[in-house]
Amino acid sequence: MMTTLEDHMRARIEYTTLTLALAAFAPLAGCGGDDGGSDVANPETTGDGEPGDGDGDPGDGDGDPGDGDGDGDPGDGDGDGPCASTWEQTQMKVNGQVHAGFDVDVAANGEFVVAGRIDNANFDAWIGKFSPSGEQLWSQTVDSGGVDFASGVVLDDAGDLIVVGSLQGSNGKDLWIEKRSGADGSVDWTTTEVSNFAGDNEPGDVALAPDGTIVVSGTVRMGDQDSDIWVRKLASADGSPSWTATYSGNVDMSGFSIDRGASVSVAPNGSIYVGGELGVNFETREAVVLAYGPEGGAEQWQLSPHATGGAHLHRSVGVAAGPENEVYFAVYQSTGIWRFWVHRASAAGELGWELTEEDFVYSPTKDWGVAGLAVSDAGLLTIGGSLRNEEIGQGISWSEAWVANLSLTGEGQCIGAHTWKNTHIIPASTYNYGLAEGPSGTVVVGEVRDGPENYLWVGGFGGL
């Protein structure tokens, strides 16, 4: 039997649907369906107490507002609202072994595919397909003999999937692109961008163009001290390249030009938006959004709205094209004082509204991370990631997955957070590494860390 304290603990980790009148958010309805993505391909899993590492710090569930005790206080997890957690499933790996989902895409029938990593003899790339309620239909692993992972996945109109990831190569990591059957996960075709210099070619994300062709982003080594943002359009039938574009920032004082490609999204008119990072020097990285036309070539415009000239490390953590060919993107600062910003830019690259972490954060949370963005068929922008909740004055904290809906004019609709309900006194930590919109709301993928145990975690928020 569970003790009274354990009963409190179980209440403590109930999902926390928040419909507070925060700076940007009001208690309005809204969840919809389309696709989304993530650029978190290699999350921290060391358990050292830093944000994002899943160290499983406890919470005591003493009934304070915001603690999930079901007492009707705002923000405490009463379980109502359009951003509420609605379902979840887990798969377990023990003794600190990793099984995590990094990206997800949802079909029109609610089935979804997940790309990530699993720790077997070594780290293998992992792909799985699930029912709308999170029951696994099939899974496949890919093992090059080294450390491998899958970072992005998208479903095409036929229900087949294209995955992008990293495989061990001879000089470093090779960027890997593969098409698989949606029915059973069998391989249709595979192609790699081999690293020709010391260092890694790194995967970013994958998206579909309106004509069914495939667009992949990543990072490619162009020299021993030079990495560029890389974009390629490929044929769906066989993976043959249609065009490739690269973007290089400035060379720093040490002779390095280290730039990285991250998320990608394609607008209804075929315009391609790529998030990335430009290396300015060893202490400064600028988040950038690049716009390309359907036929590639040089970038049409670029935006780095937080380039102040000062030292900072900014990351691009999601781009999502909208119905008027506009783009929404997020920038995250994880070092020093953590911060994030969400922006809208027109198809011509003109900046519109901006939100900051102050429009999302509520007490007693901290260390909010962003995993991705998605635009739904219902005309809403979904943003989500992970946050750290805490028991004030107790030295007790844990991670929760969070999701928020915004109107396309930047007005908050709802916000909710959830952590998986374990059966121990010490609560688990749940991490959101990727999200997508589907017919029944937002599907989120990541991992749970519950003491020494690790679980692949998939869950749903909101719904019609």
Side-chain angles (χ1 to χ4, degrees):
M1 295 291 292
M2 296 179 67
T3 67
T4 301
L5 177 57
E6 288 172 321
D7 287 336
H8 279 300
M9 292 301 304
R10 190 171 184 84
R12 179 61 177 170
I13 56 177
E14 290 287 340
Y15 51 76
T16 55
T17 300
L18 302 162
T19 51
L20 296 173
L22 302 174
F25 290 88
L28 304 177
C31 278
D34 200 338
D35 59 358
S38 167
D39 62 344
V40 183
N42 195 7
E44 184 177 88
T45 54
T46 59
D48 58 4
E50 296 297 325
D53 65 9
D55 57 4
D57 292 332
D60 67 1
D62 59 3
D64 294 332
D67 64 8
D69 58 7
D71 58 7
D73 293 330
D76 71 356
D78 301 315
D80 52 2
C83 284
S85 170
T86 53
W87 60 266
E88 63 184 349
Q89 298 281 359
T90 60
Q91 294 182 20
M92 179 177 169
K93 292 288 283 184
V94 297
N95 298 324
Q97 293 177 309
V98 171
H99 191 188
F102 300 152
D103 195 20
V104 58
D105 197 22
V106 188
N109 65 0
E111 294 180 345
F112 60 93
V113 289
V114 181
R117 165 186 280 180
I118 190 168
D119 184 359
N120 290 329
N122 51 23
F123 283 120
D124 295 339
W126 178 90
I127 310 119
K129 186 175 182 180
F130 294 80
S131 74
S133 61
E135 299 290 342
Q136 184 174 290
L137 303 176
W138 56 257
S139 70
Q140 300 283 351
T141 59
V142 179
D143 181 9
S144 70
V147 175
D148 311 310
F149 62 88
S151 65
V153 66
V154 69
L155 286 160
D156 65 15
D157 290 341
D160 297 325
L161 58 136
I162 301 91
V163 62
V164 62
S166 174
L167 300 181
Q168 184 64 51
S170 56
N171 286 322
K173 299 294 186 62
D174 296 337
L175 195 158
W176 158 63
I177 309 163
E178 191 163 87
K179 184 176 181 180
R180 288 178 172 255
S181 164
D184 58 10
S186 57
V187 177
D188 190 349
W189 52 257
T190 301
T191 183
T192 57
E193 185 69 13
V194 175
S195 178
N196 294 317
F197 300 90
D200 299 336
N201 286 352
E202 301 172 4
D205 200 3
V206 58
L208 286 185
D211 62 0
T213 54
I214 301 161
V215 180
V216 175
S217 63
T219 306
V220 168
R221 299 285 289 185
M222 306 299 288
D224 287 332
Q225 297 183 160
D226 185 9
S227 293
D228 288 356
I229 297 172
W230 179 92
V231 190
R232 176 170 289 174
K233 181 176 276 193
L234 306 91
S236 179
D238 58 6
S240 58
S242 172
W243 54 260
T244 303
T246 59
Y247 181 88
S248 181
N250 296 326
V251 179
D252 68 19
M253 295 177 60
S254 300
F256 287 85
S257 178
I258 306 300
D259 311 303
R260 293 189 174 94
S263 1
V264 65
S265 186
V266 184
N269 68 355
S271 295
I272 296 163
Y273 299 116
V274 181
E277 300 159 38
L278 305 179
V280 178
N281 52 52
F282 74 96
E283 59 182 7
T284 306
R285 299 191 66 82
E286 300 292 359
V288 65
V289 174
L290 304 171
Y292 292 90
E295 303 307 318
E299 68 281 358
Q300 296 179 336
W301 51 260
Q302 70 177 76
L303 289 172
S304 292
H306 302 287
T308 63
H312 52 242
L313 301 178
H314 287 169
R315 298 175 55 212
S316 173
V317 287
V319 297
E324 297 179 357
N325 305 308
E326 78 276 26
V327 62
Y328 306 89
F329 61 97
V331 174
Y332 184 65
Q333 175 177 285
S334 58
T335 56
I337 300 174
W338 66 269
R339 294 208 63 191
F340 68 86
W341 301 263
V342 185
H343 293 274
R344 181 195 190 276
S346 71
E350 300 166 334
L351 283 171
W353 54 258
E354 172 188 295
L355 298 176
T356 74
E357 77 285 344
E358 294 177 350
D359 296 302
F360 296 85
V361 173
Y362 56 90
S363 180
T365 65
K366 59 184 179 180
D367 298 332
W368 286 52
V370 179
L373 307 175
V375 175
S376 75
D377 289 338
L380 293 172
L381 176 66
T382 300
I383 179 172
S386 303
L387 60 85
R388 187 162 289 272
N389 208 338
E390 64 176 332
E391 188 65 39
I392 297 296
Q394 302 297 316
I396 295 167
S397 64
W398 62 95
S399 176
E400 299 181 2
W402 70 272
V403 166
N405 284 162
L406 303 156
S407 73
L408 298 187
T409 57
E411 298 170 343
Q413 307 293 291
C414 65
I415 186 167
H418 172 71
T419 190
W420 178 69
K421 296 183 291 185
N422 61 3
T423 58
H424 306 148
I425 291 176
I426 300 175
S429 284
T430 303
Y431 297 92
N432 171 358
Y433 297 145
L435 59 86
E437 285 296 322
S440 298
T442 308
V443 178
V444 177
V445 298
E447 67 173 321
V448 167
R449 289 209 164 245
D450 186 19
E453 298 174 350
N454 171 276
Y455 303 79
L456 170 75
W457 178 82
V458 297
F461 284 76
L464 302 178

